[in-house]
Amino acid sequence: MRNHTGHDMTAHTNHAGHGDHSTHAAPGGLSVSENGHTLEFDSTILGAGTRTVTFRVIGPDGRPVTEYVPEHEKELHLIAVRRDTSGFQHVHPVMDEKGTWSVEVALEPGDWRFFADVHPAGHDGTMTLGIDVAVAGHYEPRPLPAIDRIARIARIDDHTVTLDGELVAGQARELTLTVARGGEPVTDLQPYLAAYGHLVALRVGDLGHLHVHPEGTPGDGVTAPGPEITFMAVAPSDGVYRLYLDFLHDGVVRTAEFTVRTTATAPGPDAAHSHEGHHDAHARH
C-alpha cells in the first residue's frame, strides 16, 4: 500500500515490523495550512447547484505552486463533502499555467469541507489541506446514516458492497470490501487511478480525513480485479467514521458509503501472524 505522509489510515510502521500494530496515525485536512503550504479558494461562499470552484495552493514563497508529483495518476485529488457527511465527491481539477485549479462540483445548501490531497514538487510526501465553504440557501441537514454492525451492505444501483472488518483506534486492522452485482461476485473491476478501489474515511465531528489505497496494483500479477478489495486501516482515535469506497465497473465510477464505530478489540497474541497470513493469502490470488 502506498502511504501518504502522516495522513493515511495505514502508518509507515505497518510494513517495517508486522509484529507491532500500534500507531498514532494523525488525520489530515484539519488545517488550511501545513508545512508552509496554504489552500486558498477564490471564494468560500458559493451558490447552490453545479458550480465551478477555483483555488490555488500557495507555497512557502507566497506564490501558487505549479509543479507537483503525481499521486495515483493525478497531481491533485479534491474531496468535497457537506459537514453532515452527505454529498461526497472525489474529483480531479485542472490547473492552468499560473497555478490556479478549477473543477465543477454539485453543491446543496449548507456548510461544506473541501480537502486537497497534494504532493508539491520538492516537498517530502503528500499532505492534505482542508478548507470550509458555505453554500447559500435553505439548509436541511441529513441525519447520520445508522451504524449496522451486523449487515454492513451498501447498495448502489444493481451493485452491492459488503464491508468486513473493524476499525480499532491506534491498531492496524484489515478492512475487506466485497463487490457483487445482481447477487454475483464481481471479478472484472476496472483500474481506477492505478487501483481497484479508493477508500476515504472521515471522522464524524471534525471530519478528520484519512485516505488509503489497497495493497497491490492492477497488473502486478497478484492483485485480483475483485470481488474483494482489501485495506489495512488504523483509526487515529475512538469514534464514529464515515467510509466512502470509489470503484470502477462497466465504465462507471460508483461510491459505496458506510457508517462505522471503532471497536475496543485489543490485539491478540496472533496479531502479527494474522497480518503475515494476509500477505500470504493476498499473494495466492
Side-chain angles (χ1 to χ4, degrees), residues 5-256:
T5 303
H7 301 315
D8 279 350
M9 296 175 74
T10 304
H12 293 289
T13 55
N14 284 355
H15 298 290
H18 296 320
D20 182 7
H21 285 247
S22 298
T23 184
H24 300 286
L30 295 179
S31 175
V32 72
S33 296
E34 183 179 322
N35 298 315
H37 295 78
T38 301
L39 181 60
E40 180 184 274
F41 269 47
D42 282 326
S43 177
T44 55
I45 300 176
L46 299 171
T50 300
R51 303 294 180 191
T52 298
V53 296
T54 54
F55 61 94
R56 287 160 294 280
V57 176
I58 305 299
D61 60 359
R63 300 177 180 178
V65 176
T66 57
E67 295 184 9
Y68 296 84
V69 178
E71 299 282 0
H72 288 269
E73 301 181 346
K74 297 293 182 179
E75 291 185 333
L76 187 146
H77 297 259
L78 188 71
I79 301 295
V81 66
R82 207 164 65 162
R83 279 280 180 182
D84 62 3
T85 78
S86 67
F88 176 87
Q89 295 163 74
H90 177 179
V91 295
H92 302 100
V94 175
M95 184 183 69
D96 67 16
E97 68 279 0
K98 295 182 180 180
T100 296
W101 295 90
S102 60
V103 69
E104 284 191 347
V105 289
L107 301 173
E108 294 183 357
D111 296 320
W112 286 73
R113 187 72 173 174
F114 283 78
F115 304 93
D117 225 11
V118 292
H119 185 170
H123 179 70
D124 183 19
T126 299
M127 66 184 76
T128 303
L129 305 175
I131 191 170
D132 284 334
V133 171
V135 178
H138 177 65
Y139 176 36
E140 296 184 358
R142 293 184 176 88
L144 188 70
I147 298 171
D148 189 340
R149 290 192 181 276
I150 306 301
R152 294 183 295 180
I153 300 175
R155 293 175 173 81
I156 320 99
D157 52 59
D158 58 347
H159 290 68
T160 60
V161 179
T162 303
L163 171 65
D164 292 301
E166 300 294 339
L167 280 180
V168 180
Q171 296 290 332
R173 286 292 181 269
E174 188 175 279
L175 295 179
T176 300
L177 295 112
T178 304
V179 183
R181 182 179 190 178
E184 297 296 326
V186 170
T187 58
D188 59 346
L189 291 173
Q190 297 165 270
Y192 174 57
L193 302 174
Y196 286 125
H198 294 264
L199 184 66
V200 172
L202 299 176
R203 184 170 57 190
V204 175
D206 63 2
L207 296 188
H209 168 278
L210 308 114
H211 192 176
V212 297
H213 303 281
E215 293 185 353
T217 57
D220 62 8
V222 296
T223 303
E228 296 181 349
I229 313 170
T230 300
F231 304 81
M232 289 300 295
V234 56
S237 69
D238 284 321
V240 177
Y241 291 79
R242 289 278 284 154
L243 306 183
Y244 307 85
L245 173 73
D246 286 337
F247 64 95
L248 176 63
H249 188 228
D250 280 352
V252 178
V253 177
R254 296 171 172 84
T255 303

